[in-house]
Amino acid sequence: MTNALTRLLTTKDTLLADGATGTNLFAMGLQSGDAPELWNADAPEKITALYQGAVDAGSDLFLTNTFGGTAARLKLHEAQNRVGELNRLGAEIGREVADKSGREVVVAGSVGPTGEIFEPVGTFSHAEAVEMFHEQADALKAGGADVLWLETISAPEEFRAAADGFALADMPWCGTMSFDTAGRTMMGVTSSDLAQLVETLPNPPIAFGANCGTGASDILRTVLGFVAQGTERPIISKGNAGIPKYVDGHIHYDGTPELMGQYAGMARDAGARIVGGCCGTMPEHLRHMRAILDQGTRGAPPTLDQITAALGPFTSASDGTGDEAVPERRMRRRRRA
Ligand SMILES: [Zn+2]
């Protein structure tokens, strides 16, 4: 099994992933509510600049601008019949940027949630989901993506369906969930649940982990939770640059480049082998992260106290894995929604 990501993981201890797609595109003029994927066709020079920003900052891999590229998501913009075109273009632009970088850079085909609610709570069937992910995966593969990159997932059903769709496309993949609800995903999945889930898949990911969620401190606690399960699979940490705050009508992330540099070093020490940023992470953050990763080698895992001292307080008392109350009420409300 030779793909660019597996090759890089055998030669480097820690890989630097990329930063935010949304935050960077908003800075280039994307309006809230627009489908960023349309820019793969309408403004390819901006997508080239997005990818180039990560590569120039030293990223070993970057995600394509195809997060909302399933038919279910493109349908919100009446573009459900353009899945093949928009995903292929997103990957093709990435392939071009990676190939002229002069080093091995992985093009990871981003796949986000469909937004559909799965059976039995909702009406979305496993078979429908698999076909939707398969369609997107085929297009990303056609455009030259090295691997697929499932991200921001909260439901185990969706994670499983994507894995099956990717198997049909015969593509290696990575997958992360967003632990944004007191240490759990919106659907109640904990770090230990995900570490166990990936080992039950017929087509397991090359690497798995967490992205987005809340702040840099919380995601490190989640990484320690994966490690506690004894997993030997490479772990991914793509945390937000600080905690989102609503300022003057837009979302602002207050994490400085220096803070994200510290986060990167601690994520590596906590056990992550692929470290990147999510919302709010710009090229200047990535440059600091690159510098810290290049300076040192993997150290002892940080304690919870060391994490909060360096990166700020956790947003919830625990990581959700203990015996304490499952957010029962929240779960019921979301099921009904
Ligand atoms: Zn994010």
Side-chain angles (χ1 to χ4, degrees):
M1 116 135 141
T2 51
N3 60 76
L5 179 60
T6 301
R7 278 198 301 276
L8 267 188
L9 281 168
T10 59
T11 57
K12 288 190 171 190
D13 176 71
T14 313
L15 305 184
L16 178 66
D18 61 356
T21 295
T23 314
N24 276 287
L25 292 182
F26 287 129
M28 294 181 199
L30 184 75
Q31 297 299 306
S32 168
D34 290 353
E37 293 77 19
L38 296 177
W39 277 13
N40 296 343
D42 299 341
E45 70 289 349
K46 290 183 176 166
I47 304 310
T48 298
L50 167 75
Y51 299 161
Q52 195 68 52
V55 170
D56 291 348
S59 294
D60 296 300
L61 72 93
F62 64 84
L63 274 51
T64 58
N65 175 42
T66 54
F67 178 81
T70 54
R73 289 294 295 265
L74 289 176
K75 189 172 184 199
L76 305 174
H77 309 276
E78 289 165 6
Q80 67 273 22
N81 56 351
R82 298 180 67 189
V83 172
E85 173 206 2
L86 294 173
N87 284 283
R88 180 179 47 76
L89 288 173
E92 274 176 7
I93 299 167
R95 188 74 269 153
E96 229 169 87
V97 170
D99 287 350
K100 65 177 168 56
S101 68
R103 57 190 173 91
E104 181 129 72
V105 174
V106 176
V107 179
S110 172
V111 175
T114 59
E116 303 290 324
I117 312 280
F118 281 70
E119 290 175 340
V121 177
T123 57
F124 200 47
S125 73
H126 178 79
E128 277 177 286
V130 169
E131 197 30 60
M132 216 175 257
F133 285 121
H134 180 195
E135 180 187 23
Q136 186 181 15
D138 273 344
L140 290 166
K141 182 181 186 178
D146 294 299
V147 295
L148 303 178
W149 196 280
L150 181 70
E151 52 173 348
T152 327
I153 299 298
S154 57
E157 294 79 7
E158 186 146 49
F159 206 87
R160 282 193 204 97
D164 289 350
F166 299 162
L168 293 174
D170 195 21
M171 279 292 280
W173 67 289
C174 295
T176 59
M177 286 192 171
S178 175
F179 297 85
D180 57 2
T181 309
R184 294 171 176 248
T185 73
M186 215 165 63
M187 299 308 287
V189 178
T190 63
S191 54
S192 55
D193 292 339
L194 177 57
Q196 291 164 21
L197 167 66
V198 294
E199 302 308 330
T200 67
L201 299 171
N203 170 39
I206 295 172
F208 76 98
N211 77 293
C212 210
T214 49
S217 294
D218 288 47
I219 202 166
L220 293 191
R221 190 170 58 176
T222 298
V223 169
L224 292 172
F226 296 139
V227 172
Q229 293 301 306
T231 181
E232 285 175 14
R233 211 170 281 284
I235 292 170
I236 300 162
S237 177
K238 274 185 115 245
N240 293 337
I243 293 168
K245 295 193 175 74
Y246 201 66
V247 182
D248 293 336
H250 69 275
I251 301 289
H252 175 76
Y253 290 83
D254 60 1
T256 60
E258 291 73 18
L259 178 129
M260 287 305 278
Q262 272 193 297
Y263 147 80
M266 292 185 108
R268 173 186 58 198
D269 293 347
R273 294 210 45 214
I274 302 176
V275 177
C278 198
C279 301
T281 309
M282 305 295 280
E284 69 248 45
H285 295 91
L286 293 173
R287 273 190 287 277
H288 275 77
M289 295 163 71
R290 178 82 270 169
I292 296 285
L293 292 178
D294 286 348
Q295 273 164 26
T297 53
R298 189 175 294 276
T303 63
L304 297 183
D305 284 345
Q306 285 168 335
I307 291 171
T308 54
L311 304 175
F314 298 119
T315 62
S316 60
S318 92
D319 68 351
T321 55
D323 294 332
E324 71 288 330
V326 180
E328 214 26 78
R329 274 216 306 253
R330 180 185 295 269
M331 291 293 298
R332 257 189 248 124
R333 199 166 56 236
R334 286 193 196 269
R335 285 210 182 107
R336 226 179 282 134

